[in-house]
Amino acid sequence: LEQEAEGDMQGHAGLQANADMHRDQLASTTKDLLSCEDEIRTTLESKTGVQAKTVDLQHRIDSLENSAVSLRERLVAARRSSERVARLREDCDKAASARLAGLDRHGRELEARNTQFASQRGELEQTSSAVLATKNAELDRR
C-alpha cells in the first residue's frame, strides 16, 4: 500500500507539475491574447481615424474638383469675352479707318470743289468786269 501510495503521490506530483505547466501556458496565452486584443483595438481605432481622414480628404478633393470645374468654365467664358472684345476692337478700328478714309476723300472733294468755285468766281468776275466795261463804254458813248 505504501508503494501504491507513493506511486499515487508521484502520479499526483506529476499531475500537479503538469497542471502547473498548463496553468503557466494558460497564463502566458491569456497574456498574449490580451496583448493581441489590445493591438487589434488600437489598430481598429487607427483604422477608424484613417477612414475619417480619408473621408475628409475625399470631401476636400471633391470640393477642389468642383472649384476646378467652375474655374475652367469661367476661364472659357473669359476667353470668349476676350475674343469678342478683340473682334469688336478690330471692327471699331476698321470702322474708324473707313471713316477717316471717307473724311479724307470728302475733304479732297471739298478742296476740288472749292478750287472749281474759285476758278468759276474768277471767270464770273472777269465776265462781270467785261460786261461792266462794255456797259460803261456804251454809257460813255451816249
Side-chain angles (χ1 to χ4, degrees), residues 44-137:
L44 286 174
E45 288 170 0
S46 175
K47 178 183 173 187
T48 302
V50 168
Q51 286 173 335
K53 286 180 183 177
T54 301
V55 168
D56 287 345
L57 289 174
Q58 188 60 49
H59 289 306
R60 179 77 174 134
I61 287 169
D62 293 343
S63 174
L64 289 173
E65 285 175 348
N66 290 337
S67 294
V69 167
S70 175
L71 288 173
R72 282 187 203 103
E73 290 170 354
R74 288 174 53 195
L75 179 62
V76 167
R79 283 182 180 155
R80 286 181 185 150
S81 294
S82 176
E83 290 168 359
R84 274 185 293 208
V85 166
R87 282 193 304 270
L88 288 172
R89 186 172 290 134
E90 186 178 317
D91 290 347
C92 286
D93 289 346
K94 286 179 184 177
S97 294
R99 185 166 186 216
L100 286 175
L103 288 174
D104 285 346
R105 186 174 50 252
H106 184 67
R108 287 191 301 274
E109 289 172 0
L110 288 176
E111 285 179 23
R113 282 186 192 164
N114 205 14
T115 302
Q116 187 181 20
F117 288 146
S119 173
Q120 287 176 351
R121 188 173 81 211
E123 290 174 7
L124 286 174
E125 285 174 356
Q126 287 176 355
T127 304
S128 176
S129 294
V131 168
L132 279 176
T134 304
K135 291 258 184 192
N136 284 340

